[in-house]
Amino acid sequence: MSQDCLHVEPFTSEDIPAAVELTVAAWSDALESWDKEVARVVCEYSVRYEFQDPSLALKITDGGVMKGFIFASNTSGNPVADEWYSQAREKFHSKEHNEILDMVLSSSHGNENMVVREMGEKDVMLTFFLSAQKGCGKRLLAAMGDLLKSRNYKNMFLWTDITCNHGYYPHHGFELVNEKAFDKYDADEPFVVYIYKKEIK
């Protein structure tokens, strides 16, 4: 990979299918015990739900192929994505599948609300950040920081959880400001959600 081949560009709704494929690949280990169709709906919903403000959405490409994306928003919620989710889940009829889908919907909304409670008037939330190629995450994060600075935001917040590489954030200037464990997700190990904050300079 040459750094000269990497390009950060605006993310548009036309990029959603490619972003879904990246998400399916990145989350394959975490979701391996789930039905593949359920897991795919969860991945697509996550992309659609977190794509809340097109003016604060970027992608990075290498040779024209998307290798990562990052979304931000100063609000939370996406009724259009929730409507898509309601329709997509109609094909699932088992209790197990619907319990998973209910949990995903509840946790997506609940975790964002946890972040919003930490935010001030000039703060913003990174709603989705995924990099599938070494070096792309750093470029995306820097580009988003520049974009947010140009909009006079003061701090960026995000939530992540125990299934992700949450140690990435302290290494890139983020401070852990809150965490919460949910016993209901796993009988053997609590499911922990972390909230991080970084000043935009």
Side-chain angles (χ1 to χ4, degrees), residues 122-123 146-155 200:
K122 293 301 293 181
D123 295 335
D146 290 342
L147 177 58
L148 296 175
K149 184 177 180 180
S150 74
R151 305 282 183 88
N152 297 312
Y153 287 110
K154 301 301 182 187
N155 300 286
I200 298 168

Side-chain angles (χ1 to χ4, degrees), residues 87-99:
Q87 294 177 6
R89 64 177 294 165
E90 289 178 358
K91 64 182 176 182
F92 301 105
H93 304 291
S94 78
K95 180 180 177 182
E96 177 187 3
H97 292 164
N98 280 287
E99 285 178 348

Side-chain angles (χ1 to χ4, degrees), residues 173-185:
F174 285 82
E175 169 194 1
L176 181 65
V177 295
N178 201 353
E179 63 180 88
K180 186 172 182 178
F182 298 88
D183 292 333
K184 62 182 179 181
Y185 290 102

Side-chain angles (χ1 to χ4, degrees), residues 28-72:
S28 60
D29 289 344
L31 305 184
E32 65 179 349
S33 64
W34 293 4
D35 175 88
K36 291 190 184 309
E37 285 298 312
V38 171
R40 187 170 189 86
V41 166
V42 167
C43 290
E44 183 161 353
Y45 170 68
S46 297
V47 172
R48 290 179 178 276
Y49 180 76
E50 306 300 1
F51 182 48
Q52 297 173 8
D53 185 344
S55 73
L56 295 177
L58 301 172
K59 66 179 179 181
I60 190 166
T61 61
D62 184 357
V65 178
M66 188 192 302
K67 297 297 181 179
F69 56 94
I70 188 168
F71 304 154

Side-chain angles (χ1 to χ4, degrees), residues 103-175:
M103 179 269 291
V104 169
L105 190 70
S106 174
S107 63
S108 295
H109 294 191
N111 293 339
E112 284 201 352
N113 287 336
M114 285 174 57
V115 177
V116 169
R117 287 194 290 270
E118 300 282 348
M119 291 166 54
E121 184 179 350
K122 293 301 293 181
D123 295 335
V124 69
M125 173 169 43
L126 298 183
T127 57
F128 209 140
F129 177 32
L130 189 151
S131 170
Q133 182 169 294
K134 186 175 176 60
C136 289
K138 187 176 180 180
R139 287 277 293 269
L140 275 173
L141 199 54
M144 180 58 78
D146 290 342
L147 177 58
L148 296 175
K149 184 177 180 180
S150 74
R151 305 282 183 88
N152 297 312
Y153 287 110
K154 301 301 182 187
N155 300 286
M156 63 176 95
F157 284 79
L158 62 85
W159 73 268
T160 185
D161 62 50
I162 198 169
T163 67
C164 302
N165 180 21
H166 54 88
Y168 175 91
Y169 298 104
H171 287 294
H172 289 83
F174 285 82
E175 169 194 1

